[in-house]
């Protein structure tokens, strides 16, 4: 099975900072990569799919890039409401493995 | 509006069974692949099982193979997860999720808590 590895596992940044989270697949998954945001005690929310397509209603400060095995999620200017855990996921086939998550906090 | 509502969670002893249900509304349930995803307390997300739109194809993560069974009743717009031989490590919030083939999880239920404890 394909493994999904995120880094870092957690980070602390200041409001307005650029934040980058990476996700690596153990095999080529083309662009079948999604990013989810989960705030504390809430249900995960789809942010980005097809590696770089923003889900409707998601602020434009979020962006995604990559293809094949290496992907990134970028928050161009961190806002207090972005405090959450972010998960990547492959969805080309089952098992639809998630990364282990990256927790983003405000410094 | 598009909605998924899980039910059936609770506290159960190791070795016992539980059946989760998920009622779908606001979209054509019978045309959509569906999944169960779980999240142990304080931990990450784990995909559990998938069922095709017509129920003819199912897949389960290795850790639940032979113990859990995903199924659906399109006449009732309902997804199920039959969980047998439960273990303490199955303790988690279980989410019902819409996820057609080669499409991300765009609709999530609110989750139902399953606690396996003696």
């Amino acid at each position: 099975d394909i493994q999904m590895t995120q880094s870092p596992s957690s980070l602390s940044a200041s409001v307005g900072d650029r934040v980058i989270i990476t996700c690596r697949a153990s095999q080529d998954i083309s662009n079948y990569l999604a990013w989810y945001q989960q705030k504390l005690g809430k249900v995960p929310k789809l942010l980005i799919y097809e590696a770089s397509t923003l889900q409707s209603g998601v602020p434009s400060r979020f962006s995604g890039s990559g293809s094949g095995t290496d992907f990134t999620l970028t928050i161009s200017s961190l806002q207090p409401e972005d405090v959450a855990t972010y998960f990547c996921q492959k969805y080309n086939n089952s098992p639809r493995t998630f990364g282990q998550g990256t927790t983003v906090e405000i410094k | 509006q598009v909605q998924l509502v899980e039910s059936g969670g609770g506290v159960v002893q190791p070795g016992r069974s539980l059946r989760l249900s998920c009622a779908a509304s606001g979209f054509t349930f019978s045309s959509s692949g569906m999944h169960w995803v779980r999240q142990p307390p304080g931990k990450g997300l784990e995909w559990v099982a998938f069922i095709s739109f017509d129920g003819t194809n199912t897949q389960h993560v290795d850790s639940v193979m032979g113990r859990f069974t995903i199924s659906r009743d399109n006449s009732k717009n309902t997804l199920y997860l039959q969980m047998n031989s439960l273990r303490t490590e199955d303790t988690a919030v279980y989410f019902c999720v819409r996820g057609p083939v080669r499409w991300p999880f765009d609709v999530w239920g609110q989750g139902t808590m399953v606690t396996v404890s003696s």
Side-chain angles (χ1 to χ4, degrees):
Chain A
D1 291 345
I2 296 175
Q3 305 303 312
M4 305 300 292
T5 304
Q6 279 182 243
S7 62
S9 56
S10 66
L11 66 89
S12 181
S14 300
V15 172
D17 281 355
R18 182 182 184 89
V19 168
I20 298 175
I21 299 168
T22 66
C23 178
R24 175 164 288 177
S26 60
Q27 296 177 37
D28 188 341
I29 59 169
S30 185
N31 67 337
Y32 293 103
L33 191 282
W35 290 96
Y36 301 87
Q37 176 193 64
Q38 186 179 31
K39 297 184 179 181
L40 195 62
K42 301 297 185 181
V43 176
K45 169 188 169 183
L46 176 64
L47 289 181
I48 288 170
Y49 59 98
E50 293 177 345
S52 61
T53 302
L54 217 59
Q55 176 72 337
S56 175
V58 174
S60 58
R61 63 181 178 273
F62 291 92
S63 65
S65 65
S67 183
T69 60
D70 293 303
F71 304 88
T72 61
L73 171 69
T74 300
I75 308 173
S76 61
S77 177
L78 186 67
Q79 299 303 304
E81 59 267 33
D82 301 334
V83 169
T85 299
Y86 295 83
F87 297 92
C88 64
Q89 183 207 25
K90 61 169 279 290
Y91 61 91
N92 56 323
N93 55 23
S94 294
R96 295 212 186 182
T97 309
F98 291 91
Q100 77 276 20
T102 298
T103 300
V104 175
E105 299 175 336
I106 300 290
K107 192 181 294 181
Chain B
Q1 72 279 25
V2 175
Q3 196 171 10
L4 297 169
V5 179
E6 302 95 336
S7 60
V11 180
V12 62
Q13 293 180 327
R16 304 299 290 265
S17 299
L18 208 58
R19 188 176 83 156
L20 305 183
S21 299
C22 170
S25 60
F27 67 99
T28 307
F29 179 73
S30 59
S31 297
S32 187
M34 298 293 296
H35 303 253
W36 288 97
V37 172
R38 67 183 178 183
Q39 186 170 37
K43 297 193 175 181
L45 300 167
E46 180 182 34
W47 171 83
V48 175
F50 161 76
I51 187 166
S52 60
F53 70 98
D54 58 0
T56 58
N57 180 27
T58 62
Q59 293 166 336
H60 300 77
V61 70
D62 287 349
S63 59
V64 308
M65 203 92 68
R67 300 188 299 122
F68 291 11
T69 302
I70 189 172
S71 63
R72 66 192 297 160
D73 186 337
N74 285 346
S75 68
K76 297 181 178 178
N77 286 350
T78 302
L79 178 72
Y80 302 101
L81 185 67
Q82 177 67 43
M83 303 186 296
N84 299 330
S85 303
L86 280 160
R87 304 169 180 168
T88 56
E89 56 264 35
D90 296 320
T91 294
V93 175
Y94 284 75
F95 296 101
C96 166
V97 187
R98 184 175 80 175
V101 173
R102 295 203 167 185
W103 194 252
F105 294 169
D106 60 352
V107 181
W108 294 66
Q110 84 287 352
T112 187
M113 183 71 205
V114 172
T115 302
V116 184
S117 173
S118 54

